[in-house]
Structures are given as C-alpha cells and as structure tokens.
Amino acid sequence: DAKTTQPTSMDCAEGRAANLPCNHSTISGNEYVYWYRQIHSQGPQYIIHGLKNNETNEMASLIITEDRKSSTLILPHATLRDTAVYYCIVPANSNSGYALNFGKGTSLLVTP
Amino acid sequence: DAGVIQSPRHEVTEMGQEVTLRCKPISGHNSLFWYRQTMMRGLELLIYFNNNVPIDDSGMPEDRFSAKMPNASFSTLKIQPSEPRDSAVYFCASSFGRGYKYFGAGTRLSVL
C-alpha cells in the first residue's frame, strides 16, 4: 500500500466544517484513496473513495489535489456523532489490495 | 440486508481454552476479512478469503490461530489454545471484490 500520513488528532466545533488532511506522495496513477472512520466501540465504516476527481456523497466530500499526492476529507457540518478516528488508506493495486492496511488515523473530536 | 453479523459479541474464557469466533458476510459478497484490534497495535489484518479460498494469511500470529470459510455465507476464526495476549476485539468484514468493505460489530475477546 502507498504510505499515508495523517495528523494524530484534530478538534472541530459542532456545526463547523471538519477538514481532515492526508498525504500520500507515493501513490501510483491507478490507486484509489479510501476514507473510513471508526466510532468508539464500533467497527470501521466506509465513508468515501476517489481516484482523481473530487467526490461527494451524503456523508462527506473528498478533495484530491491535481498531482494526487494529498487529499482532504471534508465533513461540511460536523456533529458530535462525527467524533471518531478517521483513516486514509491507499490500497495497493495488486492482490494484496483486496485488503486494507489501517494506520493510526486522525482522532477527530467534535466539541459543543 | 442485516450487514456483516459476528457472534458472539463478547467472549470471556480462561487461558488454554479453545475459542471460536463466527462471521456471516453480506449476501453476494465474495471477499471476507478477519482483523484484530488492540490499543498497542491498532487494526491488524489477520487473513482474507476470496471466493472462500484463503488468499493471504500472513497476518495470522501463530499456529494457534486458524480460519476457515466452508461456504460463501460463513467463516470461523479459531484460537486453540487461547492466551491472555489474544485479548482484543476481532472484526470480520466483507466486500465484493476490491469494493469497499463492510465491517461487523466485532467480538470482544477476553482471555483470563
């Protein structure tokens, strides 16, 4: 898997946008960027993924830089329930890419 | 669909006993993954199956661990004999091919 680098922790006020950065400078041209999150005591949950273009779904938006070396996950209006660990993952485009290798992620705390 | 179903949710056992964790993947998914999560090591991939065949078991800690997938709707992870250092939360996940993964709620194992 391409190595990813994320800040250890971030804070965000409720109702504000949470912008979570991820660096993946060794990403290959056909490797996707995936974001998952894990709320305390629950299993990881898929959020969004993308290749080149920006993506948006009901949970979040994903902004990928033109050189694809970094991306930002945006939670437009963070709520207390968004407090979780957020993982940025770039699976290898090979047999091993079927699996996901979770790093440390970013622990996001949404405060009232 | 009810999602990925794991049982039991909690297991407390004594050192030396056999432990069997169970997983029912989402119907139609052909890839299944077993992960282990501890505070020290985070989320670790133990093994994954594709079309019921084990593809990569390099994450299985030692011979005390074994996993089977006798059919597309059921998988087990067995620990025999169990040791206190096996205490962790074990997650099962499934996907269709390389698609994004759906995780179960996990089994919290405590080995005394």
Side-chain angles (χ1 to χ4, degrees):
Chain A
D1 296 3
K3 179 178 169 58
T4 61
T5 304
Q6 301 177 250
T8 302
S9 63
M10 294 182 64
D11 291 348
C12 178
E14 188 179 20
R16 303 297 293 269
N19 298 288
L20 292 91
C22 178
N23 287 322
H24 32 77
S25 57
T26 62
I27 192 170
S28 297
N30 56 358
E31 289 176 335
Y32 283 78
V33 180
Y34 283 81
W35 283 83
Y36 283 74
R37 74 179 182 184
Q38 187 174 24
I39 296 170
H40 183 61
S41 297
Q42 298 183 20
Q45 176 190 25
Y46 165 82
I47 302 173
I48 198 167
H49 73 284
L51 182 63
K52 294 181 181 178
N53 301 320
N54 299 336
E55 302 287 345
T56 296
N57 62 21
E58 65 277 6
M59 289 183 68
S61 295
L62 175 60
I63 308 298
I64 302 174
T65 57
E66 193 169 341
D67 63 6
R68 301 205 334 114
K69 293 183 184 299
S70 66
S71 60
T72 301
L73 179 75
I74 300 172
L75 308 178
H77 305 286
T79 70
L80 299 179
R81 289 175 295 179
D82 292 323
T83 292
V85 178
Y86 288 77
Y87 298 96
C88 169
I89 304 167
V90 179
N93 216 15
S94 64
N95 258 353
S96 65
Y98 277 90
L100 297 173
N101 289 313
F102 290 81
K104 300 292 186 184
T106 296
S107 179
L108 175 67
L109 175 64
V110 181
T111 56
Chain B
D1 201 313
V4 176
I5 299 173
Q6 292 186 246
S7 64
R9 289 296 312 278
H10 302 274
E11 177 79 34
V12 180
T13 190
E14 292 186 346
M15 182 174 64
Q17 297 297 306
E18 177 180 296
V19 175
T20 300
L21 310 182
R22 297 172 176 80
C23 176
K24 176 178 168 54
I26 291 174
S27 176
H29 283 186
N30 62 350
S31 295
L32 184 139
F33 308 80
W34 282 101
Y35 284 84
R36 177 173 69 175
Q37 186 170 35
T38 61
M39 288 291 291
M40 290 293 292
R41 301 173 69 90
L43 270 163
E44 302 174 280
L45 176 67
L46 299 178
I47 185 172
Y48 78 92
F49 296 83
N50 194 36
N51 294 322
N52 311 337
V53 175
I55 301 300
D56 184 354
D57 64 354
S58 60
M60 296 285 263
E62 49 198 271
D63 292 345
R64 296 185 298 105
F65 285 68
S66 63
K68 293 182 180 180
M69 191 164 187
N71 57 61
S73 59
F74 184 65
S75 176
T76 59
L77 178 67
K78 184 177 294 186
I79 308 172
Q80 165 65 15
S82 58
E83 296 182 3
R85 60 189 167 129
D86 302 330
S87 296
V89 181
Y90 290 81
F91 288 104
C92 176
S94 72
S95 68
F96 181 74
R98 295 181 190 276
Y100 49 87
K101 321 305 184 210
Y102 291 83
F103 283 77
T107 295
R108 183 173 297 276
L109 174 64
S110 297
V111 183
L112 307 176

